[in-house]
PDB file of all heavy atoms in Angstrom:
ATOM      1  N   ASP A  19       5.434  10.442  20.473  1.00 88.00           N
ATOM      2  CA  ASP A  19       6.477   9.574  20.005  1.00 88.00           C
ATOM      3  C   ASP A  19       6.043   8.200  19.849  1.00 88.00           C
ATOM      4  O   ASP A  19       6.298   7.523  18.719  1.00 88.00           O
ATOM      5  CB  ASP A  19       7.596   9.489  21.155  1.00 88.00           C
ATOM      6  CG  ASP A  19       8.754   8.618  20.719  1.00 88.00           C
ATOM      7  OD1 ASP A  19       9.278   8.903  19.520  1.00 88.00           O
ATOM      8  OD2 ASP A  19       9.282   7.832  21.426  1.00 88.00           O
ATOM      9  N   ASP A  23       5.756   6.396  16.115  1.00 92.00           N
ATOM     10  CA  ASP A  23       6.540   5.074  15.871  1.00 92.00           C
ATOM     11  C   ASP A  23       5.496   4.067  15.308  1.00 92.00           C
ATOM     12  O   ASP A  23       5.858   3.343  14.344  1.00 92.00           O
ATOM     13  CB  ASP A  23       7.097   4.523  17.138  1.00 92.00           C
ATOM     14  CG  ASP A  23       8.254   5.367  17.602  1.00 92.00           C
ATOM     15  OD1 ASP A  23       8.804   6.145  16.761  1.00 92.00           O
ATOM     16  OD2 ASP A  23       8.632   5.231  18.826  1.00 92.00           O
ATOM     17  N   TYR A  26       4.738   4.843  11.825  1.00 93.00           N
ATOM     18  CA  TYR A  26       5.803   4.494  10.860  1.00 93.00           C
ATOM     19  C   TYR A  26       5.752   3.070  10.515  1.00 93.00           C
ATOM     20  O   TYR A  26       5.956   2.706   9.376  1.00 93.00           O
ATOM     21  CB  TYR A  26       7.161   4.707  11.696  1.00 93.00           C
ATOM     22  CG  TYR A  26       8.427   4.465  10.899  1.00 93.00           C
ATOM     23  CD1 TYR A  26       9.003   5.527  10.176  1.00 93.00           C
ATOM     24  CD2 TYR A  26       9.088   3.251  11.070  1.00 93.00           C
ATOM     25  CE1 TYR A  26      10.167   5.257   9.483  1.00 93.00           C
ATOM     26  CE2 TYR A  26      10.238   3.030  10.352  1.00 93.00           C
ATOM     27  CZ  TYR A  26      10.746   3.969   9.602  1.00 93.00           C
ATOM     28  OH  TYR A  26      11.919   3.775   8.912  1.00 93.00           O
ATOM     29  N   TRP A  53      12.431  -4.111   9.605  1.00 97.00           N
ATOM     30  CA  TRP A  53      12.924  -2.856   9.065  1.00 97.00           C
ATOM     31  C   TRP A  53      12.954  -1.801  10.034  1.00 97.00           C
ATOM     32  O   TRP A  53      14.004  -1.104  10.225  1.00 97.00           O
ATOM     33  CB  TRP A  53      11.982  -2.430   7.930  1.00 97.00           C
ATOM     34  CG  TRP A  53      12.192  -1.076   7.522  1.00 97.00           C
ATOM     35  CD1 TRP A  53      11.451   0.010   7.908  1.00 97.00           C
ATOM     36  CD2 TRP A  53      13.170  -0.491   6.615  1.00 97.00           C
ATOM     37  NE1 TRP A  53      11.902   1.199   7.311  1.00 97.00           N
ATOM     38  CE2 TRP A  53      12.993   0.948   6.597  1.00 97.00           C
ATOM     39  CE3 TRP A  53      14.301  -1.079   5.949  1.00 97.00           C
ATOM     40  CZ2 TRP A  53      13.789   1.754   5.834  1.00 97.00           C
ATOM     41  CZ3 TRP A  53      15.077  -0.170   5.233  1.00 97.00           C
ATOM     42  CH2 TRP A  53      14.841   1.232   5.172  1.00 97.00           C
ATOM     43  N   SER A  54      11.851  -1.661  10.794  1.00 97.00           N
ATOM     44  CA  SER A  54      11.710  -0.657  11.808  1.00 97.00           C
ATOM     45  C   SER A  54      12.719  -0.760  12.988  1.00 97.00           C
ATOM     46  O   SER A  54      13.376   0.181  13.332  1.00 97.00           O
ATOM     47  CB  SER A  54      10.313  -0.643  12.475  1.00 97.00           C
ATOM     48  OG  SER A  54       9.439  -0.442  11.441  1.00 97.00           O
ATOM     49  N   VAL A  55      12.949  -2.037  13.361  1.00 97.00           N
ATOM     50  CA  VAL A  55      14.025  -2.268  14.515  1.00 97.00           C
ATOM     51  C   VAL A  55      15.348  -1.959  13.939  1.00 97.00           C
ATOM     52  O   VAL A  55      16.235  -1.343  14.584  1.00 97.00           O
ATOM     53  CB  VAL A  55      13.793  -3.675  14.947  1.00 97.00           C
ATOM     54  CG1 VAL A  55      15.069  -4.148  15.834  1.00 97.00           C
ATOM     55  CG2 VAL A  55      12.521  -3.906  15.817  1.00 97.00           C
ATOM     56  N   GLY A  56      15.600  -2.339  12.631  1.00 97.00           N
ATOM     57  CA  GLY A  56      16.892  -2.111  12.009  1.00 97.00           C
ATOM     58  C   GLY A  56      17.168  -0.641  11.868  1.00 97.00           C
ATOM     59  O   GLY A  56      18.344  -0.223  12.218  1.00 97.00           O
ATOM     60  N   VAL A  57      16.180   0.148  11.593  1.00 97.00           N
ATOM     61  CA  VAL A  57      16.323   1.615  11.469  1.00 97.00           C
ATOM     62  C   VAL A  57      16.703   2.154  12.777  1.00 97.00           C
ATOM     63  O   VAL A  57      17.469   3.069  12.971  1.00 97.00           O
ATOM     64  CB  VAL A  57      15.112   2.236  10.761  1.00 97.00           C
ATOM     65  CG1 VAL A  57      15.175   3.738  10.961  1.00 97.00           C
ATOM     66  CG2 VAL A  57      14.983   1.890   9.244  1.00 97.00           C
ATOM     67  N   GLU A  58      15.998   1.606  13.855  1.00 97.00           N
ATOM     68  CA  GLU A  58      16.324   2.093  15.088  1.00 97.00           C
ATOM     69  C   GLU A  58      17.732   1.864  15.631  1.00 97.00           C
ATOM     70  O   GLU A  58      18.351   2.751  16.172  1.00 97.00           O
ATOM     71  CB  GLU A  58      15.277   1.519  16.131  1.00 97.00           C
ATOM     72  CG  GLU A  58      15.221   2.118  17.503  1.00 97.00           C
ATOM     73  CD  GLU A  58      14.720   3.535  17.534  1.00 97.00           C
ATOM     74  OE1 GLU A  58      13.842   3.865  16.693  1.00 97.00           O
ATOM     75  OE2 GLU A  58      15.056   4.339  18.445  1.00 97.00           O
ATOM     76  N   PHE A  59      18.228   0.699  15.311  1.00 97.00           N
ATOM     77  CA  PHE A  59      19.524   0.325  15.685  1.00 97.00           C
ATOM     78  C   PHE A  59      20.542   1.174  14.788  1.00 97.00           C
ATOM     79  O   PHE A  59      21.628   1.575  15.270  1.00 97.00           O
ATOM     80  CB  PHE A  59      19.879  -1.161  15.577  1.00 97.00           C
ATOM     81  CG  PHE A  59      19.409  -1.858  16.753  1.00 97.00           C
ATOM     82  CD1 PHE A  59      18.313  -2.760  16.709  1.00 97.00           C
ATOM     83  CD2 PHE A  59      20.032  -1.689  18.007  1.00 97.00           C
ATOM     84  CE1 PHE A  59      17.946  -3.476  17.822  1.00 97.00           C
ATOM     85  CE2 PHE A  59      19.673  -2.413  19.108  1.00 97.00           C
ATOM     86  CZ  PHE A  59      18.571  -3.263  19.091  1.00 97.00           C
ATOM     87  N   PHE A  60      20.182   1.479  13.581  1.00 97.00           N
ATOM     88  CA  PHE A  60      20.988   2.316  12.658  1.00 97.00           C
ATOM     89  C   PHE A  60      21.193   3.745  13.309  1.00 97.00           C
ATOM     90  O   PHE A  60      22.231   4.325  13.021  1.00 97.00           O
ATOM     91  CB  PHE A  60      20.376   2.359  11.303  1.00 97.00           C
ATOM     92  CG  PHE A  60      21.105   3.138  10.290  1.00 97.00           C
ATOM     93  CD1 PHE A  60      22.398   2.741   9.894  1.00 97.00           C
ATOM     94  CD2 PHE A  60      20.640   4.297   9.677  1.00 97.00           C
ATOM     95  CE1 PHE A  60      23.151   3.500   9.007  1.00 97.00           C
ATOM     96  CE2 PHE A  60      21.310   5.059   8.736  1.00 97.00           C
ATOM     97  CZ  PHE A  60      22.557   4.558   8.475  1.00 97.00           C
ATOM     98  N   GLN A  61      20.175   4.119  14.035  1.00 97.00           N
ATOM     99  CA  GLN A  61      20.433   5.433  14.740  1.00 97.00           C
ATOM    100  C   GLN A  61      21.650   5.504  15.637  1.00 97.00           C
ATOM    101  O   GLN A  61      22.138   6.545  15.859  1.00 97.00           O
ATOM    102  CB  GLN A  61      19.091   5.813  15.514  1.00 97.00           C
ATOM    103  CG  GLN A  61      17.926   6.064  14.537  1.00 97.00           C
ATOM    104  CD  GLN A  61      16.651   6.162  15.256  1.00 97.00           C
ATOM    105  OE1 GLN A  61      16.629   6.071  16.570  1.00 97.00           O
ATOM    106  NE2 GLN A  61      15.577   6.283  14.572  1.00 97.00           N
ATOM    107  N   LEU A  62      21.992   4.407  16.157  1.00 97.00           N
ATOM    108  CA  LEU A  62      23.167   4.280  17.016  1.00 97.00           C
ATOM    109  C   LEU A  62      24.462   4.794  16.266  1.00 97.00           C
ATOM    110  O   LEU A  62      25.531   5.224  16.881  1.00 97.00           O
ATOM    111  CB  LEU A  62      23.471   3.032  17.600  1.00 97.00           C
ATOM    112  CG  LEU A  62      22.364   2.419  18.546  1.00 97.00           C
ATOM    113  CD1 LEU A  62      22.522   0.957  18.827  1.00 97.00           C
ATOM    114  CD2 LEU A  62      22.519   3.297  19.838  1.00 97.00           C
ATOM    115  N   THR A  63      24.521   4.759  14.918  1.00 96.00           N
ATOM    116  CA  THR A  63      25.687   5.235  14.174  1.00 96.00           C
ATOM    117  C   THR A  63      25.771   6.767  14.114  1.00 96.00           C
ATOM    118  O   THR A  63      26.905   7.199  13.878  1.00 96.00           O
ATOM    119  CB  THR A  63      25.648   4.699  12.703  1.00 96.00           C
ATOM    120  OG1 THR A  63      24.526   5.379  12.038  1.00 96.00           O
ATOM    121  CG2 THR A  63      25.438   3.171  12.593  1.00 96.00           C
ATOM    122  N   GLY A  64      24.681   7.438  14.469  1.00 95.00           N
ATOM    123  CA  GLY A  64      24.761   8.919  14.321  1.00 95.00           C
ATOM    124  C   GLY A  64      24.498   9.484  12.915  1.00 95.00           C
ATOM    125  O   GLY A  64      24.286  10.698  12.675  1.00 95.00           O
ATOM    126  N   LEU A  65      24.476   8.568  11.955  1.00 96.00           N
ATOM    127  CA  LEU A  65      24.223   9.040  10.437  1.00 96.00           C
ATOM    128  C   LEU A  65      22.914   9.617  10.233  1.00 96.00           C
ATOM    129  O   LEU A  65      22.753  10.663   9.624  1.00 96.00           O
ATOM    130  CB  LEU A  65      24.524   7.893   9.526  1.00 96.00           C
ATOM    131  CG  LEU A  65      25.972   7.400   9.492  1.00 96.00           C
ATOM    132  CD1 LEU A  65      26.092   6.141   8.562  1.00 96.00           C
ATOM    133  CD2 LEU A  65      26.780   8.532   8.866  1.00 96.00           C
ATOM    134  N   PRO A  66      21.890   8.998  10.800  1.00 95.00           N
ATOM    135  CA  PRO A  66      20.448   9.642  10.552  1.00 95.00           C
ATOM    136  C   PRO A  66      20.460  11.085  11.018  1.00 95.00           C
ATOM    137  O   PRO A  66      19.818  11.887  10.253  1.00 95.00           O
ATOM    138  CB  PRO A  66      19.578   8.721  11.317  1.00 95.00           C
ATOM    139  CG  PRO A  66      20.199   7.467  11.315  1.00 95.00           C
ATOM    140  CD  PRO A  66      21.747   7.699  11.499  1.00 95.00           C
ATOM    141  N   VAL A  67      21.161  11.488  12.127  1.00 94.00           N
ATOM    142  CA  VAL A  67      20.996  12.836  12.551  1.00 94.00           C
ATOM    143  C   VAL A  67      21.731  13.764  11.572  1.00 94.00           C
ATOM    144  O   VAL A  67      21.331  14.833  11.281  1.00 94.00           O
ATOM    145  CB  VAL A  67      21.646  12.896  14.011  1.00 94.00           C
ATOM    146  CG1 VAL A  67      21.789  14.369  14.452  1.00 94.00           C
ATOM    147  CG2 VAL A  67      20.760  12.156  14.961  1.00 94.00           C
ATOM    148  N   GLN A  68      22.861  13.250  11.152  1.00 95.00           N
ATOM    149  CA  GLN A  68      23.692  14.060  10.136  1.00 95.00           C
ATOM    150  C   GLN A  68      22.914  14.218   8.865  1.00 95.00           C
ATOM    151  O   GLN A  68      22.880  15.267   8.319  1.00 95.00           O
ATOM    152  CB  GLN A  68      25.047  13.327   9.847  1.00 95.00           C
ATOM    153  CG  GLN A  68      25.964  13.362  11.056  1.00 95.00           C
ATOM    154  CD  GLN A  68      27.176  12.514  10.700  1.00 95.00           C
ATOM    155  OE1 GLN A  68      27.439  12.083   9.645  1.00 95.00           O
ATOM    156  NE2 GLN A  68      28.045  12.182  11.814  1.00 95.00           N
ATOM    157  N   TRP A  69      22.348  13.157   8.394  1.00 95.00           N
ATOM    158  CA  TRP A  69      21.559  13.191   7.152  1.00 95.00           C
ATOM    159  C   TRP A  69      20.390  14.197   7.263  1.00 95.00           C
ATOM    160  O   TRP A  69      20.045  14.933   6.320  1.00 95.00           O
ATOM    161  CB  TRP A  69      21.118  11.827   6.730  1.00 95.00           C
ATOM    162  CG  TRP A  69      22.152  10.895   6.418  1.00 95.00           C
ATOM    163  CD1 TRP A  69      23.504  11.141   6.184  1.00 95.00           C
ATOM    164  CD2 TRP A  69      22.068   9.487   6.209  1.00 95.00           C
ATOM    165  NE1 TRP A  69      24.213   9.927   5.826  1.00 95.00           N
ATOM    166  CE2 TRP A  69      23.317   8.918   5.893  1.00 95.00           C
ATOM    167  CE3 TRP A  69      20.993   8.568   6.286  1.00 95.00           C
ATOM    168  CZ2 TRP A  69      23.539   7.582   5.634  1.00 95.00           C
ATOM    169  CZ3 TRP A  69      21.204   7.244   5.997  1.00 95.00           C
ATOM    170  CH2 TRP A  69      22.441   6.747   5.663  1.00 95.00           C
ATOM    171  N   LEU A  76      14.815  13.112   5.496  1.00 92.00           N
ATOM    172  CA  LEU A  76      15.571  11.828   5.822  1.00 92.00           C
ATOM    173  C   LEU A  76      15.396  11.510   7.378  1.00 92.00           C
ATOM    174  O   LEU A  76      15.408  10.470   7.791  1.00 92.00           O
ATOM    175  CB  LEU A  76      16.974  11.976   5.405  1.00 92.00           C
ATOM    176  CG  LEU A  76      17.337  11.732   3.975  1.00 92.00           C
ATOM    177  CD1 LEU A  76      18.824  11.857   3.713  1.00 92.00           C
ATOM    178  CD2 LEU A  76      16.832  10.482   3.431  1.00 92.00           C
ATOM    179  N   GLY A  77      15.150  12.705   8.112  1.00 88.00           N
ATOM    180  CA  GLY A  77      14.918  12.563   9.434  1.00 88.00           C
ATOM    181  C   GLY A  77      13.606  11.776   9.768  1.00 88.00           C
ATOM    182  O   GLY A  77      13.429  11.067  10.679  1.00 88.00           O
ATOM    183  N   LEU A  78      12.646  12.033   8.864  1.00 84.00           N
ATOM    184  CA  LEU A  78      11.333  11.347   8.946  1.00 84.00           C
ATOM    185  C   LEU A  78      11.380   9.791   8.603  1.00 84.00           C
ATOM    186  O   LEU A  78      10.712   9.055   9.110  1.00 84.00           O
ATOM    187  CB  LEU A  78      10.306  11.953   8.006  1.00 84.00           C
ATOM    188  CG  LEU A  78       9.964  13.475   8.383  1.00 84.00           C
ATOM    189  CD1 LEU A  78       9.062  14.142   7.277  1.00 84.00           C
ATOM    190  CD2 LEU A  78       9.357  13.603   9.765  1.00 84.00           C
ATOM    191  N   VAL A  79      12.359   9.545   7.769  1.00 90.00           N
ATOM    192  CA  VAL A  79      12.506   8.104   7.408  1.00 90.00           C
ATOM    193  C   VAL A  79      13.437   7.345   8.354  1.00 90.00           C
ATOM    194  O   VAL A  79      13.083   6.123   8.804  1.00 90.00           O
ATOM    195  CB  VAL A  79      13.067   8.063   5.890  1.00 90.00           C
ATOM    196  CG1 VAL A  79      13.417   6.557   5.557  1.00 90.00           C
ATOM    197  CG2 VAL A  79      12.221   8.677   4.984  1.00 90.00           C
ATOM    198  N   PHE A  80      14.515   7.991   8.761  1.00 93.00           N
ATOM    199  CA  PHE A  80      15.493   7.221   9.635  1.00 93.00           C
ATOM    200  C   PHE A  80      15.536   7.679  11.109  1.00 93.00           C
ATOM    201  O   PHE A  80      16.272   7.167  11.836  1.00 93.00           O
ATOM    202  CB  PHE A  80      16.902   7.387   9.007  1.00 93.00           C
ATOM    203  CG  PHE A  80      16.993   6.748   7.656  1.00 93.00           C
ATOM    204  CD1 PHE A  80      17.127   7.541   6.461  1.00 93.00           C
ATOM    205  CD2 PHE A  80      17.074   5.376   7.548  1.00 93.00           C
ATOM    206  CE1 PHE A  80      17.263   6.833   5.289  1.00 93.00           C
ATOM    207  CE2 PHE A  80      17.174   4.715   6.374  1.00 93.00           C
ATOM    208  CZ  PHE A  80      17.294   5.475   5.187  1.00 93.00           C
ATOM    209  N   GLY A  81      14.669   8.641  11.448  1.00 88.00           N
ATOM    210  CA  GLY A  81      14.570   9.110  12.844  1.00 88.00           C
ATOM    211  C   GLY A  81      15.843   9.882  13.235  1.00 88.00           C
ATOM    212  O   GLY A  81      16.626  10.420  12.385  1.00 88.00           O
ATOM    213  N   GLY A  82      16.111   9.825  14.567  1.00 88.00           N
ATOM    214  CA  GLY A  82      17.248  10.554  15.098  1.00 88.00           C
ATOM    215  C   GLY A  82      18.004   9.797  16.128  1.00 88.00           C
ATOM    216  O   GLY A  82      19.118   9.289  15.884  1.00 88.00           O
ATOM    217  N   VAL A  83      17.467   9.729  17.321  1.00 90.00           N
ATOM    218  CA  VAL A  83      18.127   9.211  18.466  1.00 90.00           C
ATOM    219  C   VAL A  83      17.559   7.895  18.826  1.00 90.00           C
ATOM    220  O   VAL A  83      16.327   7.639  18.933  1.00 90.00           O
ATOM    221  CB  VAL A  83      18.021  10.183  19.657  1.00 90.00           C
ATOM    222  CG1 VAL A  83      18.749   9.689  20.792  1.00 90.00           C
ATOM    223  CG2 VAL A  83      18.624  11.623  19.235  1.00 90.00           C
ATOM    224  N   PHE A  84      18.408   6.826  19.084  1.00 95.00           N
ATOM    225  CA  PHE A  84      18.043   5.527  19.571  1.00 95.00           C
ATOM    226  C   PHE A  84      17.221   5.635  20.902  1.00 95.00           C
ATOM    227  O   PHE A  84      17.543   6.361  21.829  1.00 95.00           O
ATOM    228  CB  PHE A  84      19.264   4.710  19.766  1.00 95.00           C
ATOM    229  CG  PHE A  84      18.950   3.253  20.223  1.00 95.00           C
ATOM    230  CD1 PHE A  84      18.553   2.353  19.281  1.00 95.00           C
ATOM    231  CD2 PHE A  84      18.970   2.917  21.521  1.00 95.00           C
ATOM    232  CE1 PHE A  84      18.264   1.056  19.713  1.00 95.00           C
ATOM    233  CE2 PHE A  84      18.700   1.686  21.985  1.00 95.00           C
ATOM    234  CZ  PHE A  84      18.408   0.656  21.026  1.00 95.00           C
ATOM    235  N   ASP A  85      16.161   4.899  20.945  1.00 94.00           N
ATOM    236  CA  ASP A  85      15.199   4.773  22.078  1.00 94.00           C
ATOM    237  C   ASP A  85      14.801   3.333  22.261  1.00 94.00           C
ATOM    238  O   ASP A  85      14.090   2.910  21.353  1.00 94.00           O
ATOM    239  CB  ASP A  85      14.159   5.770  22.004  1.00 94.00           C
ATOM    240  CG  ASP A  85      13.293   5.789  23.250  1.00 94.00           C
ATOM    241  OD1 ASP A  85      13.438   5.024  24.151  1.00 94.00           O
ATOM    242  OD2 ASP A  85      12.445   6.760  23.333  1.00 94.00           O
ATOM    243  N   THR A  86      15.160   2.587  23.230  1.00 95.00           N
ATOM    244  CA  THR A  86      14.741   1.297  23.452  1.00 95.00           C
ATOM    245  C   THR A  86      13.228   1.056  23.479  1.00 95.00           C
ATOM    246  O   THR A  86      12.673   0.053  23.065  1.00 95.00           O
ATOM    247  CB  THR A  86      15.269   0.612  24.703  1.00 95.00           C
ATOM    248  OG1 THR A  86      14.920   1.469  25.880  1.00 95.00           O
ATOM    249  CG2 THR A  86      16.890   0.483  24.717  1.00 95.00           C
ATOM    250  N   ASP A  88      11.061   2.527  21.597  1.00 96.00           N
ATOM    251  CA  ASP A  88      10.676   2.401  20.232  1.00 96.00           C
ATOM    252  C   ASP A  88      10.691   0.924  19.703  1.00 96.00           C
ATOM    253  O   ASP A  88       9.886   0.502  18.913  1.00 96.00           O
ATOM    254  CB  ASP A  88      11.470   3.193  19.316  1.00 96.00           C
ATOM    255  CG  ASP A  88      11.350   4.755  19.626  1.00 96.00           C
ATOM    256  OD1 ASP A  88      10.462   5.062  20.370  1.00 96.00           O
ATOM    257  OD2 ASP A  88      12.129   5.484  18.993  1.00 96.00           O
ATOM    258  N   LEU A  89      11.705   0.105  20.224  1.00 97.00           N
ATOM    259  CA  LEU A  89      11.744  -1.268  19.740  1.00 97.00           C
ATOM    260  C   LEU A  89      10.418  -1.975  20.057  1.00 97.00           C
ATOM    261  O   LEU A  89       9.950  -2.782  19.304  1.00 97.00           O
ATOM    262  CB  LEU A  89      12.974  -1.985  20.374  1.00 97.00           C
ATOM    263  CG  LEU A  89      14.311  -1.300  19.932  1.00 97.00           C
ATOM    264  CD1 LEU A  89      15.435  -2.055  20.780  1.00 97.00           C
ATOM    265  CD2 LEU A  89      14.541  -1.357  18.531  1.00 97.00           C
ATOM    266  N   TYR A  92       7.509  -0.805  17.973  1.00 97.00           N
ATOM    267  CA  TYR A  92       7.597  -1.387  16.560  1.00 97.00           C
ATOM    268  C   TYR A  92       6.956  -2.753  16.620  1.00 97.00           C
ATOM    269  O   TYR A  92       6.203  -3.195  15.662  1.00 97.00           O
ATOM    270  CB  TYR A  92       9.033  -1.367  16.023  1.00 97.00           C
ATOM    271  CG  TYR A  92       9.627  -0.034  15.835  1.00 97.00           C
ATOM    272  CD1 TYR A  92      10.876   0.252  16.084  1.00 97.00           C
ATOM    273  CD2 TYR A  92       8.754   1.032  15.404  1.00 97.00           C
ATOM    274  CE1 TYR A  92      11.398   1.524  15.838  1.00 97.00           C
ATOM    275  CE2 TYR A  92       9.281   2.292  15.199  1.00 97.00           C
ATOM    276  CZ  TYR A  92      10.623   2.556  15.409  1.00 97.00           C
ATOM    277  OH  TYR A  92      11.211   3.774  15.234  1.00 97.00           O
TER     278      TYR A  92
END
Side-chain angles (χ1 to χ4, degrees):
D19 184 47
D23 291 342
Y26 182 86
W53 164 265
S54 302
V55 167
V57 167
E58 191 68 26
F59 278 111
F60 182 60
Q61 292 171 1
L62 291 170
T63 68
L65 290 174
V67 172
Q68 293 174 10
W69 293 349
L76 288 178
L78 297 173
V79 175
F80 295 107
V83 179
F84 179 82
D85 185 350
T86 55
D88 294 351
L89 300 173
Y92 295 144

